Amino acid sequence: MSKKLIAYFSAQGTTAAVAKKLAEACGGDLYEIKPQVPYSRADLNWNDKTSRTSVEMRDTSFRPAIADNNAHVEDYDVIFLGFPIWWYIAPTIINTFLEAYDFSGKTIVLFATSGGSGFGKTVRGIKGSVAPSCTIIQGKLLNAPQSTASLKAWVESLNV
């Protein structure tokens, strides 16, 4: 059995709720990816082209600073990585997180929440932020309320 980390970024609490339930379902450890400067409601207004998130997502090289580097990914075999989908990809803070650690030989399973879009180009957008020997599994969108049993079944179906 592999040791699992559930690392997540949650702007408004939706992804956090899923991550906590997923950790319970698979017996994994939780780690919250926190921005050094928290996002305000105005920052998250995707209808405003000058909002912080709009500006960040237009520049794929932008890397928002994270509050700490205490995830200890070296202690884990499998990392479940959760985030809200923004503009059909992961928020750039996910790239910041991935570039802060060595994921060589690790398996990353993505899970996401979304107001309406799918994974889009998410895997392509983060693949360059990890070592080539890192395996990325697209995983699934977990928008609807999830039971612990359904999450456990999903994790077991992955054989990770």
Side-chain angles (χ1 to χ4, degrees), residues 17-26 80 111 140-142 144-158:
V18 173
K20 290 172 186 169
K21 203 147 213 186
L22 181 58
E24 180 184 326
C26 73
F80 284 84
F111 67 96
K140 65 193 287 185
L141 287 174
L142 298 171
Q146 304 291 316
S147 71
T148 303
S150 68
L151 289 171
K152 186 173 183 173
W154 172 58
V155 170
E156 288 172 356
S157 76
L158 296 169

Side-chain angles (χ1 to χ4, degrees), residues 1-100:
M1 180 179 277
S2 60
K3 191 169 179 189
K4 296 172 179 64
L5 175 67
I6 293 73
Y8 68 94
F9 164 68
S10 188
Q12 297 180 307
T14 305
T15 307
V18 173
K20 290 172 186 169
K21 203 147 213 186
L22 181 58
E24 180 184 326
C26 73
D29 296 328
L30 264 177
Y31 174 78
E32 183 177 2
I33 302 165
K34 295 179 187 174
Q36 195 171 62
V37 176
Y39 289 91
S40 70
R41 186 173 207 78
D43 291 337
L44 297 170
N45 182 358
W46 59 274
N47 287 313
D48 177 358
K49 291 184 192 296
T50 64
S51 74
R52 179 176 165 194
T53 53
S54 295
V55 171
E56 288 177 5
M57 296 308 289
R58 270 196 307 275
D59 180 358
T60 58
S61 67
F62 189 81
R63 299 293 184 262
I66 54 178
D68 67 60
N69 287 321
N70 299 322
H72 301 290
V73 299
E74 67 276 4
D75 296 340
Y76 300 91
D77 305 306
V78 178
I79 295 90
F80 284 84
L81 182 57
F83 47 84
I85 297 288
W86 289 354
W87 290 267
Y88 301 96
I89 58 174
T92 55
I93 195 168
I94 296 301
N95 297 89
T96 305
F97 172 75
L98 292 171
E99 292 165 6

